Amino acid sequence: MDLPIPKSRSGMFASLVLVACLFLFYYQTFYEFARGVYLKEYVPVGVEANTLPTGIKVVLRVPKYTSSVIPGWVYGSVENKSDEMKKINLSFMLKDENIILIPSSYQDENIFQRAISNLEILPHSTTYFRFPWSSNIANNNSVLLYVNQKEARLNRSVESMMVSSVKALRRSVLENLFMPPWANTLLPVLALVFCYFAENDVKHADKTPLRFKILFPILIYGICESFCFYFLVMWFMGQGAMWGITGILGWIILIGYHSFSQQTDADYQDD
């Protein structure tokens, strides 16, 4: 099986240099921006203090957009502000909820369990949890949160969350590809694939030992591909159509150059 990874020494070394460049760019420039966009995909929902045990604070982060095809998660925190240990029973109830008929969602037998029992929280500490969320919940007018078997009132209506498969997909891609730890795997894969295609456009790259005059064009080509990918990612994150247009034009130029290079090599071999 021919994997899309560089075959020459110059290509492999160029991919290592490109990996280092991508990690540097990601953590120095892109990460904080992507994290900000990701956090905006969630809405903070507090719980009224007078409906909670003394010294307890509960905050939920609910996704703005959800879909039955792409379920999300409600992330929450329970903070104990008192000087005593607290034992909490917490449950997230949905009245008349429909069964979600997606086989892949039931790989974990407890994936749709929305209850935490006998949760012990140390004084002045915080515990975190999450519950599954889908369009079935977003369309339901009876979202109930219980703490120690008593109903806790939310200070914001979660029924206002909108159903959108496209925007739910964007949130899912953000958290599963462009945020750590998954981004730490994506970046090396991209570097190998980009240098693999760049290697095909550099003449004699697979027939020479490690040389700067072969390595440099592969690296530059890989960087150009990385920037085109970056422009498309920015467009995907909702930063404007110009990012997408620039990325598409960049890919068209690179693909055109690739086709021209392949045709030139074919004509040279015929001669």
Side-chain angles (χ1 to χ4, degrees):
M1 187 167 112
D2 189 15
L3 296 176
I5 61 175
K7 302 300 188 293
S8 67
R9 295 178 183 178
S10 297
M12 288 300 298
F13 192 83
S15 66
L16 293 176
V17 176
L18 183 59
V19 166
C21 293
L22 291 179
F23 270 105
L24 182 64
F25 177 80
Y26 177 83
Y27 282 105
Q28 288 291 328
T29 304
F30 184 72
Y31 170 71
E32 288 298 333
F33 168 78
R35 182 175 180 272
V37 174
Y38 174 63
L39 291 179
K40 290 179 181 178
E41 294 291 320
Y42 288 85
V43 177
V45 179
V47 179
E48 295 182 8
N50 58 359
T51 63
L52 293 173
T54 305
I56 294 297
K57 179 182 178 181
V58 178
V59 176
L60 306 176
R61 281 193 173 271
V62 182
K64 284 183 180 180
Y65 304 97
T66 185
S67 167
S68 59
V69 180
I70 309 171
W73 295 93
V74 174
Y75 293 91
S77 64
V78 182
E79 181 182 0
N80 181 6
K81 294 184 174 183
S82 69
D83 296 326
E84 302 175 351
M85 179 179 288
K86 297 286 186 178
K87 183 175 288 188
I88 299 296
N89 295 309
L90 189 146
S91 61
F92 192 68
M93 305 297 293
L94 299 169
K95 195 173 182 181
D96 302 324
E97 180 183 12
N98 293 323
I99 297 176
I100 301 177
L101 301 177
I102 304 177
S104 60
S105 298
Y106 294 89
Q107 294 178 359
D108 186 339
E109 60 182 4
N110 295 319
I111 193 169
F112 284 105
Q113 181 175 336
R114 300 191 183 96
I116 302 174
S117 60
N118 298 323
L119 177 64
E120 295 184 346
I121 308 176
L122 295 174
H124 305 289
S125 64
T126 304
T127 299
Y128 300 93
F129 62 91
R130 69 176 185 174
F131 293 133
W133 181 268
S134 73
S135 60
N136 301 79
I137 305 173
N139 293 332
N140 196 295
N141 294 320
S142 300
V143 179
L144 305 174
L145 179 68
Y146 287 90
V147 179
N148 291 350
Q149 290 77 49
K150 293 182 179 180
E151 184 179 351
R153 291 193 299 272
L154 305 179
N155 62 13
R156 177 171 182 164
S157 174
V158 296
E159 297 90 36
S160 62
M161 303 302 109
M162 290 167 280
V163 178
S164 172
S165 296
V166 174
K167 293 183 177 180
L169 175 63
R170 182 178 68 181
R171 185 204 68 243
S172 179
V173 170
L174 271 173
E175 63 187 359
N176 291 306
L177 282 181
F178 300 137
M179 298 297 294
W182 304 113
N184 296 334
T185 301
L186 176 65
L187 295 179
V189 170
L190 288 177
L192 288 171
V193 172
F194 290 161
C195 287
Y196 166 77
F197 287 109
E199 185 183 65
N200 292 332
D201 292 325
V202 177
K203 294 181 179 180
H204 312 300
D206 58 340
K207 299 178 181 179
T208 59
L210 181 61
R211 290 183 181 177
F212 181 78
K213 67 177 183 179
I214 299 296
L215 183 152
F216 186 72
I218 295 176
L219 181 59
I220 294 300
Y221 196 98
I223 291 175
C224 291
E225 290 174 309
S226 300
F227 270 107
C228 292
F229 182 79
Y230 168 70
F231 293 148
L232 292 179
V233 169
M234 293 293 286
W235 166 75
F236 180 77
M237 290 184 176
Q239 300 306 301
M242 284 304 300
W243 288 96
I245 293 173
T246 305
I248 292 173
L249 288 176
W251 280 113
I252 291 175
I253 293 173
L254 290 175
I255 293 173
Y257 175 79
H258 174 77
S259 300
F260 175 78
S261 176
Q262 295 294 322
Q263 184 62 42
T264 301
D265 287 345
D267 293 342
Y268 177 79
Q269 292 176 359
D270 291 340
D271 293 339

mmCIF file of all heavy atoms in Angstrom, residues 7-8 25 40 46 50 70 88-90 121 145 169 172 189 216 235-237 263 271:
data_model
loop_
_atom_site.group_PDB
_atom_site.id
_atom_site.type_symbol
_atom_site.label_atom_id
_atom_site.label_comp_id
_atom_site.label_asym_id
_atom_site.label_seq_id
_atom_site.Cartn_x
_atom_site.Cartn_y
_atom_site.Cartn_z
ATOM 1 N N LYS A 7 8.943 9.902 0.025
ATOM 2 C CA LYS A 7 9.742 8.709 -0.221
ATOM 3 C C LYS A 7 11.243 8.994 -0.220
ATOM 4 O O LYS A 7 12.054 8.086 -0.090
ATOM 5 C CB LYS A 7 9.339 8.093 -1.569
ATOM 6 C CG LYS A 7 7.858 7.728 -1.682
ATOM 7 C CD LYS A 7 7.455 6.714 -0.631
ATOM 8 C CE LYS A 7 6.039 6.205 -0.854
ATOM 9 N NZ LYS A 7 5.020 7.250 -0.643
ATOM 10 N N SER A 8 11.618 10.253 -0.383
ATOM 11 C CA SER A 8 13.039 10.604 -0.459
ATOM 12 C C SER A 8 13.534 11.138 0.878
ATOM 13 O O SER A 8 12.743 11.523 1.749
ATOM 14 C CB SER A 8 13.256 11.669 -1.544
ATOM 15 O OG SER A 8 12.643 12.892 -1.158
ATOM 16 N N PHE A 25 3.625 27.716 14.645
ATOM 17 C CA PHE A 25 2.556 28.611 14.203
ATOM 18 C C PHE A 25 1.270 28.338 14.976
ATOM 19 O O PHE A 25 0.573 29.277 15.386
ATOM 20 C CB PHE A 25 2.316 28.442 12.704
ATOM 21 C CG PHE A 25 1.183 29.275 12.176
ATOM 22 C CD1 PHE A 25 1.376 30.624 11.897
ATOM 23 C CD2 PHE A 25 -0.066 28.719 11.961
ATOM 24 C CE1 PHE A 25 0.328 31.400 11.423
ATOM 25 C CE2 PHE A 25 -1.118 29.496 11.492
ATOM 26 C CZ PHE A 25 -0.916 30.840 11.211
ATOM 27 N N LYS A 40 -16.989 30.360 21.899
ATOM 28 C CA LYS A 40 -18.183 31.091 21.467
ATOM 29 C C LYS A 40 -19.265 30.161 20.934
ATOM 30 O O LYS A 40 -20.406 30.600 20.735
ATOM 31 C CB LYS A 40 -17.805 32.125 20.408
ATOM 32 C CG LYS A 40 -17.001 33.288 20.952
ATOM 33 C CD LYS A 40 -16.630 34.273 19.852
ATOM 34 C CE LYS A 40 -15.794 35.421 20.404
ATOM 35 N NZ LYS A 40 -15.387 36.372 19.351
ATOM 36 N N GLY A 46 -26.328 29.778 33.975
ATOM 37 C CA GLY A 46 -26.184 29.626 35.413
ATOM 38 C C GLY A 46 -27.431 29.043 36.056
ATOM 39 O O GLY A 46 -28.482 28.908 35.425
ATOM 40 N N ASN A 50 -30.697 30.516 44.918
ATOM 41 C CA ASN A 50 -31.682 30.182 45.949
ATOM 42 C C ASN A 50 -32.351 28.829 45.732
ATOM 43 O O ASN A 50 -33.157 28.395 46.548
ATOM 44 C CB ASN A 50 -32.746 31.277 46.049
ATOM 45 C CG ASN A 50 -33.468 31.490 44.723
ATOM 46 O OD1 ASN A 50 -33.180 30.842 43.727
ATOM 47 N ND2 ASN A 50 -34.409 32.418 44.721
ATOM 48 N N ILE A 70 -25.475 15.090 14.787
ATOM 49 C CA ILE A 70 -24.190 15.411 15.409
ATOM 50 C C ILE A 70 -24.454 15.851 16.847
ATOM 51 O O ILE A 70 -24.517 17.047 17.131
ATOM 52 C CB ILE A 70 -23.450 16.514 14.630
ATOM 53 C CG1 ILE A 70 -23.370 16.159 13.150
ATOM 54 C CG2 ILE A 70 -22.050 16.732 15.195
ATOM 55 C CD1 ILE A 70 -22.858 17.266 12.274
ATOM 56 N N ILE A 88 -23.326 15.751 46.620
ATOM 57 C CA ILE A 88 -24.322 16.231 45.665
ATOM 58 C C ILE A 88 -24.833 15.081 44.807
ATOM 59 O O ILE A 88 -24.069 14.224 44.345
ATOM 60 C CB ILE A 88 -23.712 17.319 44.757
ATOM 61 C CG1 ILE A 88 -23.259 18.521 45.581
ATOM 62 C CG2 ILE A 88 -24.701 17.747 43.684
ATOM 63 C CD1 ILE A 88 -24.365 19.235 46.277
ATOM 64 N N ASN A 89 -26.154 15.067 44.593
ATOM 65 C CA ASN A 89 -26.792 14.229 43.584
ATOM 66 C C ASN A 89 -27.348 15.160 42.517
ATOM 67 O O ASN A 89 -28.163 16.033 42.817
ATOM 68 C CB ASN A 89 -27.917 13.386 44.181
ATOM 69 C CG ASN A 89 -27.406 12.377 45.188
ATOM 70 O OD1 ASN A 89 -26.490 11.629 44.892
ATOM 71 N ND2 ASN A 89 -27.970 12.377 46.378
ATOM 72 N N LEU A 90 -26.885 14.992 41.285
ATOM 73 C CA LEU A 90 -27.269 15.912 40.221
ATOM 74 C C LEU A 90 -27.829 15.131 39.042
ATOM 75 O O LEU A 90 -27.258 14.117 38.634
ATOM 76 C CB LEU A 90 -26.052 16.731 39.802
ATOM 77 C CG LEU A 90 -26.254 17.899 38.850
ATOM 78 C CD1 LEU A 90 -25.275 19.021 39.177
ATOM 79 C CD2 LEU A 90 -26.062 17.461 37.398
ATOM 80 N N ILE A 121 -17.673 16.823 47.051
ATOM 81 C CA ILE A 121 -16.883 17.978 46.633
ATOM 82 C C ILE A 121 -16.198 18.566 47.861
ATOM 83 O O ILE A 121 -16.851 18.944 48.838
ATOM 84 C CB ILE A 121 -17.766 19.041 45.964
ATOM 85 C CG1 ILE A 121 -18.615 18.407 44.852
ATOM 86 C CG2 ILE A 121 -16.912 20.162 45.388
ATOM 87 C CD1 ILE A 121 -19.579 19.362 44.211
ATOM 88 N N LEU A 145 -33.318 20.534 35.731
ATOM 89 C CA LEU A 145 -32.087 20.193 36.437
ATOM 90 C C LEU A 145 -32.437 19.989 37.909
ATOM 91 O O LEU A 145 -33.073 20.841 38.531
ATOM 92 C CB LEU A 145 -31.059 21.317 36.295
ATOM 93 C CG LEU A 145 -29.719 21.100 37.012
ATOM 94 C CD1 LEU A 145 -28.952 19.969 36.354
ATOM 95 C CD2 LEU A 145 -28.889 22.381 37.007
ATOM 96 N N LEU A 169 -21.780 20.695 12.943
ATOM 97 C CA LEU A 169 -20.603 20.050 12.361
ATOM 98 C C LEU A 169 -19.368 20.911 12.583
ATOM 99 O O LEU A 169 -18.295 20.389 12.903
ATOM 100 C CB LEU A 169 -20.821 19.810 10.867
ATOM 101 C CG LEU A 169 -19.629 19.240 10.097
ATOM 102 C CD1 LEU A 169 -19.258 17.862 10.621
ATOM 103 C CD2 LEU A 169 -19.943 19.179 8.604
ATOM 104 N N SER A 172 -18.215 20.436 16.084
ATOM 105 C CA SER A 172 -17.633 19.113 16.272
ATOM 106 C C SER A 172 -16.238 19.029 15.670
ATOM 107 O O SER A 172 -15.326 18.449 16.273
ATOM 108 C CB SER A 172 -18.552 18.053 15.643
ATOM 109 O OG SER A 172 -18.013 16.764 15.795
ATOM 110 N N VAL A 189 0.391 14.768 10.378
ATOM 111 C CA VAL A 189 -0.233 14.123 9.214
ATOM 112 C C VAL A 189 -0.279 15.103 8.039
ATOM 113 O O VAL A 189 0.048 14.753 6.893
ATOM 114 C CB VAL A 189 -1.643 13.611 9.572
ATOM 115 C CG1 VAL A 189 -2.387 13.164 8.308
ATOM 116 C CG2 VAL A 189 -1.551 12.464 10.568
ATOM 117 N N PHE A 216 14.795 22.471 -0.141
ATOM 118 C CA PHE A 216 14.193 23.803 -0.047
ATOM 119 C C PHE A 216 12.919 23.943 -0.889
ATOM 120 O O PHE A 216 11.906 24.441 -0.381
ATOM 121 C CB PHE A 216 15.228 24.864 -0.441
ATOM 122 C CG PHE A 216 14.755 26.265 -0.239
ATOM 123 C CD1 PHE A 216 14.628 26.795 1.049
ATOM 124 C CD2 PHE A 216 14.436 27.071 -1.319
ATOM 125 C CE1 PHE A 216 14.185 28.091 1.235
ATOM 126 C CE2 PHE A 216 13.992 28.366 -1.138
ATOM 127 C CZ PHE A 216 13.868 28.880 0.144
ATOM 128 N N TRP A 235 -11.950 30.355 6.939
ATOM 129 C CA TRP A 235 -13.285 30.497 6.352
ATOM 130 C C TRP A 235 -14.274 29.550 7.030
ATOM 131 O O TRP A 235 -15.400 29.939 7.331
ATOM 132 C CB TRP A 235 -13.217 30.196 4.858
ATOM 133 C CG TRP A 235 -14.568 29.993 4.238
ATOM 134 C CD1 TRP A 235 -15.496 30.953 3.924
ATOM 135 C CD2 TRP A 235 -15.159 28.737 3.879
ATOM 136 N NE1 TRP A 235 -16.623 30.376 3.400
ATOM 137 C CE2 TRP A 235 -16.450 29.024 3.356
ATOM 138 C CE3 TRP A 235 -14.730 27.416 3.945
ATOM 139 C CZ2 TRP A 235 -17.294 28.017 2.906
ATOM 140 C CZ3 TRP A 235 -15.573 26.421 3.501
ATOM 141 C CH2 TRP A 235 -16.831 26.717 2.987
ATOM 142 N N PHE A 236 -13.848 28.324 7.300
ATOM 143 C CA PHE A 236 -14.699 27.344 7.967
ATOM 144 C C PHE A 236 -15.112 27.833 9.353
ATOM 145 O O PHE A 236 -16.216 27.544 9.822
ATOM 146 C CB PHE A 236 -13.955 26.015 8.077
ATOM 147 C CG PHE A 236 -14.726 24.924 8.752
ATOM 148 C CD1 PHE A 236 -15.739 24.249 8.087
ATOM 149 C CD2 PHE A 236 -14.449 24.570 10.065
ATOM 150 C CE1 PHE A 236 -16.454 23.243 8.710
ATOM 151 C CE2 PHE A 236 -15.152 23.566 10.697
ATOM 152 C CZ PHE A 236 -16.166 22.902 10.014
ATOM 153 N N MET A 237 -14.250 28.594 10.001
ATOM 154 C CA MET A 237 -14.551 29.125 11.329
ATOM 155 C C MET A 237 -15.408 30.385 11.282
ATOM 156 O O MET A 237 -15.631 31.020 12.313
ATOM 157 C CB MET A 237 -13.252 29.421 12.077
ATOM 158 C CG MET A 237 -12.490 28.181 12.493
ATOM 159 S SD MET A 237 -11.036 28.605 13.474
ATOM 160 C CE MET A 237 -10.448 26.962 13.910
ATOM 161 N N GLN A 263 2.974 17.337 -16.748
ATOM 162 C CA GLN A 263 2.935 17.325 -18.201
ATOM 163 C C GLN A 263 4.305 17.616 -18.785
ATOM 164 O O GLN A 263 4.725 17.002 -19.781
ATOM 165 C CB GLN A 263 1.925 18.372 -18.700
ATOM 166 C CG GLN A 263 1.729 18.374 -20.209
ATOM 167 C CD GLN A 263 1.185 17.059 -20.732
ATOM 168 O OE1 GLN A 263 0.284 16.471 -20.130
ATOM 169 N NE2 GLN A 263 1.724 16.586 -21.853
ATOM 170 N N ASP A 271 10.534 13.003 -25.368
ATOM 171 C CA ASP A 271 11.630 13.481 -26.239
ATOM 172 C C ASP A 271 12.876 12.635 -26.056
ATOM 173 O O ASP A 271 13.648 12.413 -26.964
ATOM 174 C CB ASP A 271 11.938 14.945 -25.932
ATOM 175 C CG ASP A 271 10.785 15.844 -26.316
ATOM 176 O OD1 ASP A 271 9.968 15.412 -27.138
ATOM 177 O OD2 ASP A 271 10.688 16.979 -25.778
#
